[in-house]
Amino acid sequence: MSAAEIDLRKKLERMSLKSPRPRLIDVIAADRRDGTYDLIYVFHHEGAIVDHRYVVNEDDDITSIADLYAGALCMEREIIDMYGLKFNGVTGGFLLDPSSPKNPLRQPRKEVAKDV
Amino acid sequence: MREDAATRSPWILHFDTGSCNGCDLEVWALLTPRYDVERFGMVNKANPKHADILLITGPVTKKSEQRLINLYNQTPDPKLVIACGDCASNGVPFLDCYNVCMGVDKVIPVDLYVPGCSCRPEAIMDAVVKGIGMWKKKVEEADR
Amino acid sequence: MSRTSVIPFGPQHAAFLEPFHLKLQVEEEVVVGAEMSFGYNHRGMEYAMAQDFKRTQFLCERVCGICSFHHSSAYVQTMERLFGIEAPERAKLVRMIMMEAQRLTSHLLALGHIAETVGYENMFMQFFREREEVMTLVNRISGGRVHYSMNAIGGIRKDVTYEGLKDIGETMDRLEPRLLDLRSIVRKDRTLRKRLIGVGVLSKEAAFDWCTVGPTSRGSGLPHDIRLTGFDGYGVNGVKFRPIYYDEGDCYARTMVRMDEVIQSVDLIRQGINLMRDGPFLNAVKGNPPAADAYGRVEAPRGELMYWVRGKNEVQLDRIKLRTPALVNVPAVSAMIKGARVADVGPITVSVDPCICCTDR
Ligand code: SF4
């Protein structure tokens, strides 16, 4: 587990223990087009949206939060299907069939990324 | 004798292959008091082994492709396939999507197409009534 | 010890309108575990919707035909936030009226569906008869029975005429006594009560844990309703609204939430008509969406619907993400059916009003 992941996990745990308990709305992933991905945890807390944003690498092992919120499991499985990210102990195959294209939401890399 | 009995009461099987539910609901509206397709002797049956007319909605996603073929093979001959809605006819509302086969006729043979997104219940009813005529011919041919 | 056997449900099944697959592990008559598989309706909408922000306005209705107007309202709201503009008052009220009308069709469908699943064919037909009244009404107002295509970024595409509003009001007057009748039947009827009370209980904690929304969570005593916070047409503009919730958490509570919300929707539509003033209905936008992101939420019939959009100064969008209510409600079924009898699996699944085309997109 890298430092960033431990941080992510701790923050989310602290968030889930707040009172009144925040409701998890969604886990969003988005391609940054340079091999890293935005991972956004969206909560509904005291009548408004609170989000936690992280940047993860393609091959990071991300800790699943399915033990904090059971409903997060499906959201994580969807991200595995759509982007090919890895969550600890979660398997994909949620939406896609073996005959469907793999990681359909990955976008073409930026050309500039090569020079950097 | 069989001809007469069969063509008076064809049974429908409705299968959703990835539609947006718009056309499915219109199929349901057909079965309910306002349109009431039962007066043509049609009954909605969930079992492919009993079905005569297949009402297919949706553009056929990759995952339901094989299921649709199975369903088609399980339905006894003679059978009739009606594609309900634009997306079942040619898949057009979902042109950019990566997981669809673009229409029912890419997977199984289709006899009648119902246009519209969503198709109106009147249009489905029209197709079904036309379908009875076509189906009658098929039964006659099979009996000969 | 009894042996565990596996019973498959679906993908094509009489109790479900849509294809999804349920694998039940059964010991004698009792369900001990369930496995669900989705994806039969996965078309790849999130990819297609990112291609052109103007066409998405119409494509997003095709995600789901039952709550199409909620989808397009959520989308245009998100885009309005992204562009930093505000829709005129009249447009908001029209959106609210049409959204409530669609909630009527959706809830009446769900109620009819649950009546059919418990084998109450007569009730099913009655709910659908009232539903047809609303369907023809929205057809007269918008021109479409399922997809209204009335929204535009910054307002609505075409104004609703005075005659149209009068028509809505008259239809509601006609509808209300019949809906009240139906409610008193659902309240007292023995068939429904015997089949639904105490079946498929979802406790308050479990409802929270599974992040459920909409009638599913309100049936478990959580008064979550985005109409209080997210959507600007409610509360802010003097619409009186209070969420309905029941504490029992069983199928009957969820059904009653829907039944009460149907009556509430009629009331909200009337309030909307009374607040309507003449005025502009469209603040048109120019240019492409800026490189920023925004959230938009509405209360769809099945619960909170959230859109997240990130633009990139082009016609294309960088990412559009939908969180549909069914994505969290349907998995919660696996918590409800533990310990239920096999005969109750149908009503339990239908009581959360599963919408697979929303779950899979
Ligand atoms: S034709 Fe249109 S309304 Fe009908 S299922 Fe397809 S997308 Fe939905």
Side-chain angles (χ1 to χ4, degrees):
Chain A
M1 240 199 243
S2 72
E5 283 158 32
I6 295 170
D7 177 46
L8 178 158
R9 171 79 198 183
K10 262 194 198 142
K11 270 206 190 131
L12 292 173
E13 244 166 38
R14 222 178 298 140
M15 188 76 197
S16 76
L17 290 177
K18 267 191 192 158
S19 151
R21 195 174 172 211
R23 178 166 57 89
L24 178 70
I25 301 179
D26 201 1
V27 182
I28 301 174
D31 200 335
R32 293 168 67 91
R33 311 182 67 205
D34 54 2
T36 60
Y37 296 85
D38 276 324
L39 201 60
I40 309 176
Y41 292 83
V42 191
F43 293 92
H44 177 93
H45 186 48
E46 291 179 341
I49 284 183
V50 178
D51 55 3
H52 289 246
R53 301 186 179 214
Y54 303 94
V55 177
V56 294
N57 281 318
E58 207 171 323
D59 40 8
D60 277 352
D61 269 331
I62 307 159
T63 44
S64 161
I65 59 162
D67 51 337
L68 303 180
Y69 291 97
L73 188 66
C74 284
M75 304 165 189
E76 283 166 359
R77 288 179 71 189
E78 189 187 322
I79 294 174
I80 295 175
D81 269 359
M82 294 295 146
Y83 288 102
L85 298 182
K86 287 197 236 43
F87 284 87
N88 277 342
V90 183
T91 51
F94 177 52
L95 294 180
L96 295 185
D97 199 50
S99 60
S100 325
K102 296 271 164 321
N103 308 332
L105 290 188
R106 279 195 188 180
Q107 292 179 359
R109 299 278 97 94
K110 272 184 216 154
E111 286 80 39
V112 281
K114 270 183 245 154
D115 317 345
V116 183
Chain B
M1 181 62 199
R2 172 181 172 241
E3 228 172 78
D4 201 37
T7 51
R8 265 164 212 244
S9 177
W11 285 8
I12 299 178
L13 173 84
H14 162 234
F15 186 55
D16 174 354
T17 59
S19 77
C20 79
N21 261 355
C23 290
D24 303 70
L25 288 176
E26 303 299 45
V27 171
W28 272 47
L30 270 193
L31 307 171
T32 48
R34 174 127 190 232
Y35 295 99
D36 193 18
V37 83
E38 236 173 87
R39 64 201 148 111
F40 301 113
M42 268 165 256
V43 188
N44 189 25
K45 283 288 154 194
N47 191 338
K49 299 247 162 66
H50 295 165
D52 303 309
I53 296 184
L54 296 175
L55 282 179
I56 314 286
T57 54
V60 192
T61 59
K62 293 266 161 66
K63 197 163 179 171
S64 52
E65 186 182 357
Q66 194 52 46
R67 275 77 183 179
L68 180 59
I69 295 173
N70 290 351
L71 215 60
Y72 184 75
N73 290 339
Q74 281 169 12
T75 313
D77 279 323
K79 57 200 160 197
L80 196 81
V81 181
I82 302 181
C84 292
D86 276 355
C87 67
S89 308
N90 50 21
V92 156
F94 304 117
L95 197 60
D96 286 329
C97 301
Y98 51 81
N99 206 28
V100 298
C101 303
M102 288 295 153
V104 177
D105 52 2
K106 302 280 188 304
V107 184
I108 57 171
V110 175
D111 298 278
L112 279 166
Y113 299 87
V114 186
C117 176
S118 64
C119 49
R120 299 187 62 87
E122 291 91 342
I124 306 180
M125 199 136 72
D126 198 25
V128 167
V129 171
K130 262 211 189 90
I132 295 179
M134 287 173 74
W135 192 61
K136 209 178 209 161
K137 251 183 230 136
K138 281 196 182 183
V139 173
E140 277 166 14
E141 269 164 33
D143 277 358
R144 215 171 283 138
Chain C
M1 228 199 88
S2 54
R3 227 157 29 94
T4 312
S5 46
V6 175
I7 300 184
F9 250 67
Q12 200 270 333
H13 189 274
F16 308 146
L17 187 58
E18 299 157 278
F20 89 108
H21 188 75
L22 202 57
K23 221 190 246 168
L24 301 175
Q25 280 139 20
V26 178
E27 271 174 16
E28 289 175 355
E29 261 290 283
V30 178
V31 181
V32 292
E35 210 180 287
M36 294 185 195
S37 65
F38 299 96
Y40 294 99
N41 263 11
H42 180 67
R43 291 150 285 178
M45 293 298 266
E46 281 173 10
Y47 175 81
M49 284 164 84
Q51 298 311 313
D52 180 344
F53 80 99
K54 278 203 177 124
R55 280 194 286 160
T56 300
Q57 191 183 308
F58 305 108
L59 184 59
C60 66
E61 302 202 326
R62 269 80 184 168
V63 176
C64 174
I66 310 179
C67 44
S68 57
F69 197 73
H70 293 88
H71 272 276
S72 76
S73 298
Y75 175 71
V76 294
Q77 253 188 66
T78 318
M79 290 313 269
E80 279 158 16
R81 293 233 170 94
L82 201 57
F83 278 110
I85 56 164
E86 180 101 1
E89 202 72 349
R90 192 174 169 91
K92 280 184 189 166
L93 284 170
V94 171
R95 275 183 205 164
M96 170 184 147
I97 290 171
M98 293 313 278
M99 265 159 62
E100 290 305 320
Q102 192 153 48
R103 193 185 315 279
L104 277 175
T105 68
S106 171
H107 276 355
L108 288 173
L109 166 83
L111 290 164
H113 198 175
I114 198 155
E116 205 231 359
T117 324
V118 301
Y120 201 163
E121 197 80 13
N122 186 334
M123 198 83 202
F124 164 71
M125 293 294 178
Q126 300 214 21
F127 278 122
F128 265 71
R129 194 184 60 212
E130 309 313 338
R131 180 174 180 272
E132 205 54 48
E133 183 94 24
V134 191
M135 292 294 265
T136 43
L137 169 74
V138 294
N139 190 3
R140 288 197 297 273
I141 303 296
S142 72
R145 281 170 59 93
V146 174
H147 301 304
Y148 309 161
S149 302
M150 279 172 85
N151 271 326
I153 299 172
I156 48 173
R157 282 171 61 214
K158 208 168 141 254
D159 203 0
V160 178
T161 55
Y162 173 73
E163 284 73 35
L165 290 177
K166 208 170 139 203
D167 189 8
I168 297 176
E170 278 166 4
T171 313
M172 288 305 131
D173 289 345
R174 234 178 306 138
L175 210 56
E176 196 177 18
R178 295 199 230 146
L179 293 175
L180 286 170
D181 266 2
L182 283 174
R183 180 165 73 169
S184 65
I185 295 175
V186 174
R187 276 223 178 116
K188 289 196 227 103
D189 190 80
R190 270 189 35 227
T191 319
L192 285 174
R193 289 178 73 97
K194 281 213 163 139
R195 275 308 294 272
L196 298 179
I197 287 182
V199 170
V201 178
L202 186 72
S203 68
K204 204 168 176 174
E205 290 72 36
F208 216 107
D209 197 32
W210 286 92
C211 316
T212 55
V213 289
T216 311
S217 76
R218 289 200 285 276
S220 294
L222 295 171
H224 287 156
D225 200 311
I226 299 308
R227 283 177 282 180
L228 284 175
T229 47
F231 181 59
D232 327 69
Y234 294 65
V236 189
N237 302 332
V239 179
K240 282 198 201 67
F241 168 74
R242 222 181 320 121
I244 290 163
Y245 64 98
Y246 281 72
D247 287 325
E248 290 84 2
D250 53 5
C251 292
Y252 190 67
R254 291 190 275 279
T255 310
M256 278 316 287
V257 169
R258 292 208 181 89
M259 196 66 238
D260 287 354
E261 281 188 358
V262 165
I263 314 283
Q264 191 187 36
S265 289
V266 173
D267 177 46
L268 285 172
I269 290 175
R270 286 222 186 95
Q271 289 191 33
I273 295 174
N274 288 342
L275 286 171
M276 204 81 122
R277 299 282 172 271
D278 278 341
F281 56 89
L282 182 62
N283 286 339
V285 291
K286 282 200 199 76
N288 289 330
D293 55 38
Y295 294 101
R297 294 192 287 174
V298 300
E299 179 79 15
R302 287 162 186 72
E304 172 198 36
L305 169 68
M306 187 186 80
Y307 271 58
W308 182 75
V309 175
R310 185 158 79 185
K312 56 176 182 184
N313 271 326
E314 282 175 37
V315 176
Q316 262 186 15
L317 299 169
D318 193 43
R319 173 87 163 103
I320 175 163
K321 174 79 171 82
L322 293 69
R323 206 303 307 272
T324 49
L327 180 72
V328 286
N329 283 347
V330 179
V333 169
S334 65
M336 291 178 205
I337 58 179
K338 288 240 171 71
R341 283 174 305 151
V342 177
D344 290 335
V345 169
I348 293 174
T349 333
V350 171
S351 76
V352 303
D353 204 357
C355 177
I356 305 304
C357 53
C358 274
T359 318
D360 296 350
R361 299 178 296 277

